Amino acid sequence: MARGEKSEMVKMSVLMIVITSSMLMTTSRSVQRARDVDSEDSEIVRRHLLANGLGVTPPMGWNSWNHFSCNINEKVIKETADALVTTGLSKLGYNYVNIDDCWAELARDQRGNLVPKKSTFPSGIKALADYVHSKGLKLGIYSDAGYLTCSKTMPGSLGHEEQDAKTFAEWGIDYLKYDNCNTDGSRPTVRYPVMTRALMKSGRPIFHSLCEWGDMHPALWGSPLGNSWRTTIDINDSWLSMLANADMNEFYAEHARPGGWNDPDMLEVGNGGMTKDEYIVHFSIWAISKAPLLLGCDIRNMTKETMEIVANKEVIAINQDSHGVQAKKARMEGDIQIWAGPLSGYRVALLLLNRGPTRLPITAFWDDIEIPPNSIVEARDLWEHKTLKQKFVGNLTATVDSHACKLYVLKPVA
């Protein structure tokens, strides 16, 4: 073979090797890319494990703790379920009947299962769930991401997550409030995902309420793990406690969304520690904050005044609005606060709040609440249940009593 021909053959061989090598590298990269895509898809699935279809709007119902603390039994739970139906509250959306701490025996059974307390829940939780479901309602229960619950009267679920989630599913539980006491010292970001995965494996959609008290800012990491997350310390039945929780919760407003809500703790309306006006403020802020509306009073013995507050359909409609955007403080001046948030249908929820000791005029300007400045606006007063005759341009002013509020839905009409 001539030297020139041999040289050409060598060149061709080298070229073939380069092409083959390139094809192999391309194939290898394609396979790796496919693996990466699969890995990314798996990661997306993993991150969105709690896509359980629950909490599209904030949950509504009742929780036993604020009024009854540990003094609960199956009779109280059944009578509360009955009362939600007979008062008409269930038709307004109050559907969860949630048992808080102290419902179980201190010791698990021989198989490691949680045991309902024989003295207070002799029929067991399954029978109670069946009763609540027969009323068209849902039953919630309580556990803890620690060795004991906060009351130290019953076991937590740490180390028993799958077993307990399976038990809750078998009982027909619809909601789990998961607390953060008596832990092993590990971070909640380590302990809470374990229960999330256990709930997803249980085979039953269960609303997961992370009760981490806002300690490690669960609004920043709770979305893949829960349907709601506590942003605050425990509330108590006082004006200052209620406002403190409202303030803390508002800080995380941008993290609330359908399927996952900021939780400033249960409602105290009707427990007697605040005035009627203060309770109206309490309910109004929780509503526009898209907070869970979980009543904390004795539903069986509500006053007419309490019923008028918690059964206000127009205020509830703000909370349950499909837009799902939490209201924020638009302006603060001394004791005056203006809260606002968008609603569906190009409307705006507006809260004028007087936190001070004297009656004060409060003005909301359109540019503070994201309404075009020259808009002509119709205002609906949700506590007076009337649409104001006057149309407003540029701003709205109202005089607000001490420790009171005005709540409007604003609708541009021109």
Side-chain angles (χ1 to χ4, degrees):
M1 185 180 289
R3 182 177 294 179
E5 291 176 333
K6 192 172 184 179
S7 176
E8 285 300 314
M9 288 293 292
V10 169
K11 287 180 181 178
M12 288 294 293
S13 297
V14 169
L15 183 60
M16 288 298 294
I17 291 169
V18 169
I19 292 172
T20 303
S21 176
S22 176
M23 289 175 66
L24 287 170
M25 288 176 67
T26 301
T27 303
S28 177
R29 282 197 297 268
S30 297
V31 170
Q32 184 60 45
R33 195 177 299 119
R35 285 174 179 167
D36 289 343
V37 169
D38 287 344
S39 178
E40 287 171 10
D41 287 345
S42 296
E43 178 67 10
I44 289 169
V45 170
R46 187 193 69 76
R47 285 202 310 269
H48 294 276
L49 272 180
L50 205 76
N52 55 16
L54 303 177
V56 176
T57 58
M60 296 175 61
W62 172 86
N63 177 284
S64 60
W65 185 259
N66 284 359
H67 187 86
F68 293 95
S69 187
C70 274
N71 301 310
I72 54 170
N73 55 56
E74 63 182 45
K75 181 173 182 288
V76 168
I77 305 303
K78 285 183 176 181
E79 289 178 353
T80 298
D82 293 342
L84 284 173
V85 174
T86 58
T87 57
L89 288 172
S90 63
K91 290 184 178 179
L92 298 179
Y94 292 98
N95 290 321
Y96 284 105
V97 181
N98 293 347
I99 307 167
D100 211 283
D101 204 349
C102 313
W103 60 268
E105 299 284 1
L106 183 57
R108 292 174 177 267
D109 68 17
Q110 291 180 341
R111 295 182 179 179
N113 294 314
L114 291 166
V115 180
K117 202 169 182 179
K118 291 182 176 62
S119 61
T120 51
F121 293 90
S123 304
I125 303 300
K126 176 66 168 67
L128 187 56
D130 290 345
Y131 183 86
V132 170
H133 292 157
S134 75
K135 299 289 179 179
L137 304 173
K138 300 174 182 178
L139 187 68
I141 210 159
Y142 168 98
S143 190
D144 188 286
Y147 295 118
L148 292 169
T149 62
C150 295
S151 69
K152 297 184 179 180
T153 65
M154 58 173 278
S157 291
L158 185 62
H160 292 267
E161 290 88 352
E162 284 201 20
Q163 186 173 15
D164 291 352
K166 184 180 178 183
T167 297
F168 297 151
E170 289 172 351
W171 285 345
I173 294 299
D174 303 294
Y175 184 115
L176 173 65
K177 176 181 174 181
Y178 203 43
D179 221 328
N180 192 36
C181 289
N182 303 304
T183 72
D184 59 359
S186 63
R187 292 172 179 265
T189 49
V190 173
R191 287 176 285 109
Y192 276 87
V194 182
M195 180 54 84
T196 299
R197 289 191 291 270
L199 290 174
M200 296 311 296
K201 289 174 67 176
S202 75
R204 182 178 179 84
I206 296 176
F207 187 104
H208 194 194
S209 170
L210 313 181
C211 186
E212 190 265 3
W213 330 314
D215 184 34
M216 286 190 66
H217 311 289
L220 305 182
W221 48 264
S223 176
L225 306 178
N227 298 109
S228 67
W229 40 83
R230 273 279 294 281
T231 54
T232 68
I233 59 174
D234 286 359
I235 196 171
N236 65 57
D237 189 16
S238 71
W239 172 249
L240 292 179
S241 171
M242 181 271 292
L243 288 180
N245 279 26
D247 290 337
M248 282 187 276
N249 189 67
E250 189 263 351
F251 183 78
Y252 301 103
E254 292 177 359
H255 298 281
R257 49 142 185 84
W261 307 102
N262 292 320
D263 178 8
D265 208 1
M266 285 98 59
L267 291 160
E268 291 281 6
V269 180
N271 280 330
M274 290 182 254
T275 66
K276 178 182 179 181
D277 281 347
E278 289 171 345
Y279 279 142
I280 287 174
V281 170
H282 181 14
F283 196 74
S284 297
I285 294 178
W286 263 236
I288 66 170
S289 298
K290 302 300 187 287
L293 296 183
L294 297 176
L295 303 173
C297 62
D298 186 351
I299 303 293
R300 305 168 304 171
N301 298 296
M302 278 195 306
T303 64
K304 181 182 177 184
E305 184 177 277
T306 297
M307 185 65 180
E308 287 174 353
I309 295 172
V310 302
N312 187 321
K313 294 180 182 179
E314 295 186 82
V315 179
I316 291 171
I318 288 180
N319 179 261
Q320 299 290 299
D321 184 75
S322 60
H323 212 42
V325 178
Q326 180 174 331
K328 299 179 69 174
K329 295 171 188 171
R331 182 183 287 270
M332 296 179 288
E333 296 177 8
D335 292 322
I336 290 172
Q337 288 186 347
I338 297 165
W339 297 57
L343 299 171
S344 58
Y346 303 102
R347 299 168 303 146
V348 172
L350 173 67
L351 180 75
L352 308 181
L353 173 59
N354 180 1
R355 299 169 70 137
T358 58
R359 203 164 185 250
L360 294 169
I362 304 177
T363 299
F365 294 94
W366 285 183
D367 55 357
D368 284 334
I369 58 177
E370 299 184 6
I371 292 178
N374 296 320
S375 299
I376 300 172
V377 170
E378 179 182 271
R380 174 76 178 176
D381 186 323
L382 303 193
W383 288 107
E384 295 292 333
H385 300 290
K386 65 181 181 182
T387 301
L388 304 186
K389 292 181 180 179
Q390 178 186 350
K391 299 294 187 291
F392 299 87
V393 181
N395 66 79
L396 180 152
T397 299
T399 300
V400 183
D401 290 336
S402 166
H403 288 203
C405 69
K406 289 284 189 179
L407 181 59
Y408 303 99
V409 167
L410 306 182
K411 183 178 180 180
V413 292

